[in-house]
Amino acid sequence: MHFQGVFIKTVSILAVSQSIVTALPTEEINSLETRAKGTKVKCDDISKYTVPYFISKTCKRPAKSSCLFYTRGLSSAARTYAKADGHSMTTIWEIWPSSWYNNNVKDTKNPLRCIIQDKAKRGTYFTNMSTAMAQMCDIFATVMTKDINNVPQDGIWAKAEFPTLQASGNQGKVLQIEMITQDGKQTKHLWVRGKKARRALENRQATPEELEQEEEVEEEFEELPVEERDIDDFDPADPNNELEEVEETVEKRDGDDFDPADPNNEFEEVEESVEKRQEVDPADPEEELEPIEEELEKRAASCGSSVDAAAFDQGGAYVVTW
């Protein structure tokens, strides 16, 4: 009888554990099982790492006005400067889990090993990661470069990050970008949002075509009934307030938690499910699943890269053209 009781309890625990585990994201389950077995894992396909995917998997989003980008050869310098002398800036090396920066190509449990070894795939990986970071930046951004009067135009900064920061419709809205040198002693304004502000920055007068276009926009604005005007937020670059309408729709949908990369809140539901289990789980009274939850917490705590960023700079083992 004693053996039968133990057997029944064991089967019950396994059944409950299986039903709970399957509620976790498939990625987490597969990764945990692989780690437990210590077996070789299949290389990830580069198509998995899209910009929306990167955004949905952040473990630390950049704070307002904290984004620090850089051009080639300055990965390590930027990481050091970001936290030196009281700075509280965010580089690309601290936004995702540490495993997302793993450059150990001999580690058969590293799903990135094939991507890191392939120059083209490696470039795509870090370009999409960089673009994702740029989409999350807000208000003010900084780029570190060796010569503020001669910024490289053939790398990730010029081709992906800078254009993304200037775009509208991102999760954040950058209003100004400034350049600094490696030691932070030289600075220069690079870009501001708004046509008039950019002209002032460039120290030039408006062209006749620009003035004509702006006058037409202002005339249309003046013709609007007072109740339809939105004086505080009026933007000549967005005369119909289309971008503002999108922002208002976002706020109505899910307040501060709305994530364009996760419009149906699928990830949020998973997070809430995990939180509830961590508080109290009647289906797991003896906490057989606690080790899995602890593993998830450890991953969150290990946010950011532990590798030497210089490995991805010129002269490093896996060069990326920043």
Side-chain angles (χ1 to χ4, degrees):
M1 289 294 291
H2 177 70
F3 172 76
Q4 185 178 11
V6 172
F7 176 75
I8 292 174
K9 182 178 180 180
T10 302
V11 171
S12 299
I13 290 174
L14 289 173
V16 171
S17 298
Q18 184 176 8
S19 64
I20 300 295
V21 171
T22 52
L24 290 172
T26 303
E27 276 185 14
E28 305 291 356
I29 299 170
N30 292 342
S31 184
L32 288 172
E33 289 179 348
T34 299
R35 182 173 299 183
K37 295 176 182 177
T39 57
K40 180 178 180 179
V41 301
K42 182 180 179 181
C43 284
D44 278 347
D45 192 288
I46 187 59
S47 62
K48 170 182 176 179
Y49 294 96
T50 62
V51 172
Y53 184 76
F54 272 113
I55 291 176
S56 72
K57 296 297 183 180
T58 57
C59 56
K60 176 187 175 182
R61 299 170 79 87
K64 292 181 178 180
S65 301
S66 73
C67 287
L68 175 60
F69 298 90
Y70 56 88
T71 57
R72 69 188 57 162
L74 296 175
S75 294
S76 294
R79 290 188 74 180
T80 301
Y81 182 87
K83 307 303 176 188
D85 300 325
H87 298 152
S88 183
M89 306 178 83
T90 306
T91 67
I92 194 174
W93 301 99
E94 55 198 280
I95 300 177
W96 286 273
S98 58
S99 60
W100 288 48
Y101 307 93
N102 190 347
N103 65 342
N104 187 349
V105 298
K106 295 182 179 179
D107 182 1
T108 57
K109 291 181 286 184
N110 177 15
L112 295 178
R113 63 188 185 280
C114 295
I115 291 174
I116 297 300
Q117 291 183 84
D118 186 291
K119 182 178 180 180
K121 293 178 181 178
R122 184 170 67 245
T124 298
Y125 182 85
F126 282 105
T127 295
N128 289 350
M129 178 182 274
S130 299
T131 301
M133 174 182 170
Q135 286 192 10
M136 294 184 285
C137 297
D138 198 24
I139 302 179
F140 186 89
T142 306
V143 58
M144 176 182 285
T145 189
K146 294 179 179 178
D147 183 352
I148 57 177
N149 296 309
N150 185 24
V151 181
Q153 298 298 307
D154 59 348
I156 291 177
W157 162 252
K159 293 183 176 181
E161 294 166 338
F162 187 32
T164 300
L165 292 170
Q166 297 176 81
S168 299
N170 293 329
Q171 290 195 5
K173 186 175 184 179
V174 171
L175 306 178
Q176 184 174 334
I177 303 172
E178 185 154 315
M179 296 182 288
I180 61 171
T181 51
Q182 184 172 345
D183 57 9
K185 294 181 178 180
Q186 289 182 280
T187 65
K188 185 178 181 180
H189 294 303
L190 175 61
W191 179 86
V192 290
R193 191 173 296 278
K195 295 178 181 178
K196 292 182 180 179
R198 282 199 294 276
R199 285 203 299 269
L201 179 63
E202 297 167 1
N203 193 27
R204 69 176 181 85
Q205 299 296 318
T207 64
E209 291 77 12
E210 288 174 331
L211 288 174
E212 183 178 354
Q213 182 180 15
E214 289 169 10
E215 286 176 4
E216 290 176 355
V217 170
E218 290 172 359
E219 287 174 3
E220 291 177 4
F221 177 66
E222 291 294 336
E223 292 174 0
L224 288 173
V226 174
E227 62 273 12
E228 293 183 17
R229 297 181 186 180
D230 193 0
I231 297 175
D232 291 338
D233 296 327
F234 179 72
D235 183 356
D238 180 31
N240 298 321
N241 283 333
E242 295 173 357
L243 299 177
E244 185 178 346
E245 290 174 6
V246 171
E247 292 169 357
E248 290 174 353
T249 302
V250 164
E251 292 172 358
K252 290 177 183 177
R253 284 186 186 173
D254 192 17
D256 295 334
D257 295 330
F258 179 75
D259 184 354
D262 179 30
N264 297 321
N265 284 332
E266 295 171 358
F267 296 112
E268 186 175 342
E269 290 172 5
V270 171
E271 290 169 359
E272 290 175 354
S273 175
V274 170
E275 287 174 3
K276 289 178 181 177
R277 283 204 299 277
Q278 289 174 337
E279 292 172 3
V280 59
D281 190 350
D284 184 28
E286 297 183 15
E287 298 183 336
E288 283 88 1
L289 293 179
E290 189 173 348
I292 292 180
E293 291 169 351
E294 289 177 352
E295 175 63 26
L296 294 178
E297 289 175 0
K298 287 180 182 178
R299 289 187 182 187
S302 65
C303 187
S305 171
S306 58
V307 304
D308 183 1
F312 296 99
D313 271 332
Q314 285 181 315
Y318 308 106
V319 177
V320 176
T321 305
W322 300 103

